[in-house]
Amino acid sequence: MSSAEKIAAADLANLSVVRYPDPRLREVCTPLEVVDEAVGVLAERMLEVMFADRGVGLAAAQVGVTVRLLVASPSFDEGDRIVLVNPRIVAEDGWEEMEEGCLSFPQIFCKIKRRKIVTIEALDLAGQPIREDLEGFAARVVQHEMDHLDGRLLVDRMGQLAKLAHRQALKQLEADFVGG
Ligand SMILES: [Zn+2]
């Protein structure tokens, strides 16, 4: 399916966050071929879902639309909105370990090591190329959401100890999942 077909197939008025182990979270997402009005509507709906669920970032795969689009608000301020279409990391520097959560893994928080500084190239909602230098928490949020674009999840970044510590919570999510 093309990105446009995936967006057209989505019920944009009723998006909700899909949880681990939904198989859509494991897909390598499709690049957006065009940045049109439908992409803008999807991004707007994703921001609404993200703020409503008290998240600071959300990838389209997390609402079941497996395209390379992410939204974020590292300060959790309605005025602070990052929307990235087809983002890629073009430079990175340093490492930092911090506690991190994910709307698709409710109640699970664990320390994850990520790049401290990243430079991102992407398209904005006007289809124009943008370049952003991000540091600290903002860099972390965008790296986390970019993981989702490749089907990579919090559980893949956890160390053995964290996996053990969260074994029950992970099992519960697996038991709660009604898939298909
Ligand atoms: Zn996540």
Side-chain angles (χ1 to χ4, degrees):
M1 243 198 269
S2 70
S3 64
E5 286 167 337
K6 286 182 173 181
I7 295 171
D11 182 3
L12 295 182
N14 294 293
L15 293 180
S16 59
V17 174
V18 301
R19 293 179 173 185
Y20 171 84
D22 190 300
R24 288 170 289 183
L25 293 172
R26 285 302 190 187
E27 278 186 42
V28 174
C29 296
T30 309
L32 281 297
E33 295 106 39
V34 284
V35 186
D36 57 10
E37 207 187 317
V39 176
V41 172
L42 173 59
E44 192 54 44
R45 294 277 183 272
M46 284 167 58
L47 282 161
E48 285 170 18
V49 169
M50 182 193 81
F51 281 117
D53 283 15
R54 308 204 59 77
V56 290
L58 193 69
Q62 289 181 280
V63 290
V65 188
T66 52
V67 298
R68 302 185 85 80
L69 172 68
L70 68 85
V71 300
S73 177
S75 63
F76 197 71
D77 182 319
E78 291 266 359
D80 166 32
R81 292 160 170 238
I82 296 174
V83 177
L84 299 175
V85 174
N86 300 339
R88 53 198 189 92
I89 294 173
V90 294
E92 54 193 17
D93 197 19
W95 293 95
E96 196 168 51
E97 195 176 54
M98 258 181 78
E99 189 131 292
E100 198 172 301
C102 177
L103 290 177
S104 297
F105 289 82
Q107 317 300 335
I108 295 180
F109 296 90
C110 55
K111 282 191 172 163
I112 307 277
K113 197 172 163 186
R114 294 205 187 264
R115 290 295 187 168
K116 192 174 181 177
I117 298 171
V118 290
T119 302
I120 309 284
E121 284 185 357
L123 298 178
D124 65 13
L125 284 177
Q128 295 303 308
I130 49 171
R131 192 179 166 97
E132 300 243 23
D133 295 313
L134 301 171
E135 192 175 342
F137 190 62
R140 170 169 299 270
V141 170
V142 168
Q143 287 173 87
H144 175 111
E145 300 315 327
M146 285 183 70
D147 269 357
H148 280 295
L149 306 185
D150 291 319
R152 194 175 299 121
L153 300 174
L154 204 58
V155 68
D156 307 324
R157 297 262 184 205
M158 281 181 187
Q160 283 307 318
L161 275 178
K163 251 186 215 158
L164 214 60
H166 296 293
R167 199 166 58 103
Q168 271 317 111
L170 289 168
K171 272 194 168 162
Q172 193 59 52
L173 282 170
E174 285 160 14
D176 292 344
F177 178 67
V178 191

